[in-house]
Amino acid sequence: MAKEVNGFNFEQRHGKERVRVARVWKDKDGRHFMVEWSVSIGLLSDCVPAYVQDDNSDIVATDTMKNTVYAKAKECSELLSVEDFAIVLAKHFTSFYSQVGDRPSNVTTTIVKIVEKPWERVHVDGQPHNHGFKLGSEKHTTEAIVKKSGALQLTSGIEGLSVLKTTKSGFEGFIRDKYTALPETRERMLATEVTALWRYSYDSVHRIPQKPLYFTEKYLGVKKVLMDTFFGPPKEGVYSPSVQRTLYQMGKATLDRFPDISSIQLNMPNLHFLPVNLSTKDNQIVKFDNDVYLPTDEPHGSIQASLSRIWSKM
């Protein structure tokens, strides 16, 4: 919220960005579990004197925030989801600093954003390895905004989900004018890199499900729905008349499947695979039949949309 300072509207926040932390848990059978997180913290607080009066007495040092990430990771003795860790951190900063000296704390809201690196357990000779991991592709993201009152906004997401199908895609009936060169087709490749963000309906930290790894399972469930909708059944697939139509179907399927998700945003660039054609003015050098392509991601089409339930505030 803006404050009037010396005749100006003034807003500020401060925090720590890209705090990298890895956490390993070991069970009694010798199996290891690990995560790697990049954590960003932002505090909304009334530390205006630090800006205008050379008074730092209301500031939580950003180095302290960094150290808190490591301390809280150590305190989490059981494997937990990235969402739960974000809430743990956000609750700490809005409650731990409830008193600064002899006056109430001015930390009113904490914003924690985390990107989870996709380390996946490897399999050797068909068996899951106890302590071996490989780096995957798409990343799991989350943002938890916690107010001193316990009010919560929780968003999760996926970045870098690259998907492609070599057929069952087309694009017809679009506007044509004197600058249009694109031919209509019912046979093309469809490739995109999905970025999705979904908001949970829980409005308080007290309403969060206490089931272990609840949000990890939800993330995997959303990813499966998005991919299943994009590809269709394994034998026959599903036809896509446009990226727009497929995007809408993916978002709708997510909201239909998960009642505690109130809204979803999807960004799906159209990454083009252009059929190769080697020919001269008078002669076709090689005849291709939709089997050799030139992959390109620049320029690419940009397709974005969001769906939310009528009662959602997003």
Side-chain angles (χ1 to χ4, degrees):
M1 181 180 295
K3 286 198 169 190
E4 185 177 332
V5 177
N6 298 329
F8 300 99
N9 287 323
F10 180 69
E11 292 185 85
Q12 57 77 32
R13 59 186 282 187
H14 78 290
K16 200 73 166 180
E17 299 283 333
R18 299 183 182 179
V19 181
R20 295 182 62 182
V21 57
R23 179 64 159 99
V24 176
W25 294 271
K26 307 167 187 176
D27 67 16
K28 56 182 175 52
D29 298 321
R31 197 177 193 209
H32 292 195
F33 302 83
M34 71 87 62
V35 294
E36 181 183 343
W37 293 324
S38 178
V39 181
S40 297
I41 300 165
L43 300 187
L44 303 185
S45 62
D46 184 16
C47 58
V48 173
Y51 293 87
V52 300
Q53 297 175 9
D54 302 330
D55 180 357
N56 297 332
S57 60
D58 288 324
I59 288 183
V60 179
T62 66
D63 189 69
T64 301
M65 299 181 200
K66 177 201 68 178
N67 294 342
T68 301
V69 171
Y70 301 128
K72 290 299 175 182
K74 172 62 177 177
E75 289 178 12
C76 294
S77 58
E78 301 291 335
L79 179 65
L80 78 168
S81 69
V82 64
E83 288 86 356
D84 284 323
F85 188 64
I87 293 170
V88 165
L89 284 175
K91 286 171 61 179
H92 168 82
F93 286 106
T94 54
S95 61
F96 183 78
Y97 297 98
S98 60
Q99 195 78 19
V100 176
D102 58 356
R103 64 189 187 280
S105 168
N106 55 22
V107 177
T108 58
T109 303
T110 303
I111 303 167
V112 176
K113 298 181 180 181
I114 305 179
V115 178
E116 181 172 292
K117 211 165 185 178
W119 289 106
E120 303 169 349
R121 189 177 302 278
V122 300
H123 288 68
V124 177
D125 294 333
Q127 298 295 318
H129 200 283
N130 269 1
H131 52 266
F133 299 84
K134 68 178 180 66
L135 189 61
S137 53
E138 65 274 0
K139 297 177 180 178
H140 182 175
T141 67
T142 194
E143 178 185 72
I145 303 176
V146 176
K147 296 182 180 295
K148 191 179 291 292
S149 64
L152 170 71
Q153 289 183 9
L154 181 64
T155 304
S156 291
I158 187 168
E159 293 180 355
L161 178 60
S162 297
V163 289
L164 175 152
K165 55 184 183 180
T166 54
T167 187
K168 292 283 187 174
S169 174
F171 191 50
E172 303 173 285
F174 50 89
I175 294 174
R176 305 197 72 88
D177 58 39
K178 63 181 181 180
Y179 300 116
T180 303
L182 183 70
E184 298 191 3
T185 181
R186 289 187 61 83
E187 177 58 43
R188 67 173 184 173
M189 293 177 67
L190 177 58
T192 187
E193 185 176 287
V194 180
T195 299
L197 290 171
W198 55 92
R199 172 79 57 82
Y200 289 101
S201 58
Y202 308 108
D203 58 3
S204 167
V205 294
H206 307 295
R207 297 181 181 273
I208 292 296
Q210 297 304 304
K211 180 181 177 183
L213 299 178
Y214 175 84
F215 291 108
T216 299
E217 293 176 6
K218 191 73 65 172
Y219 166 80
L220 294 173
V222 171
K223 184 169 74 168
K224 184 177 187 303
V225 167
L226 293 174
M227 294 179 65
D228 288 354
T229 307
F230 179 87
F231 291 114
K235 294 291 186 181
E236 61 271 25
V238 61
Y239 182 71
S240 170
S242 66
V243 178
Q244 286 86 342
R245 177 60 174 160
T246 297
L247 181 153
Y248 174 79
Q249 291 173 324
M250 292 164 67
K252 181 179 182 299
T254 301
L255 294 184
D256 288 344
R257 174 66 180 81
F258 302 104
D260 60 347
I261 292 178
S262 60
S263 57
I264 184 169
Q265 297 177 349
L266 288 163
N267 182 355
M268 293 172 52
N270 191 2
L271 306 179
H272 303 297
F273 282 70
L274 308 177
V276 171
N277 179 26
L278 298 182
S279 62
T280 66
K281 180 180 178 180
D282 303 314
N283 182 39
Q284 186 175 36
I285 300 173
V286 179
K287 179 176 174 55
F288 296 102
D289 185 23
N290 289 323
D291 51 5
V292 178
Y293 296 84
L294 171 63
T296 177
D297 55 9
E298 294 180 355
H300 62 248
S302 176
I303 294 90
Q304 305 175 48
S306 62
L307 288 79
S308 60
R309 305 186 195 279
I310 298 300
W311 49 262
S312 173
K313 296 180 181 179
M314 185 174 179

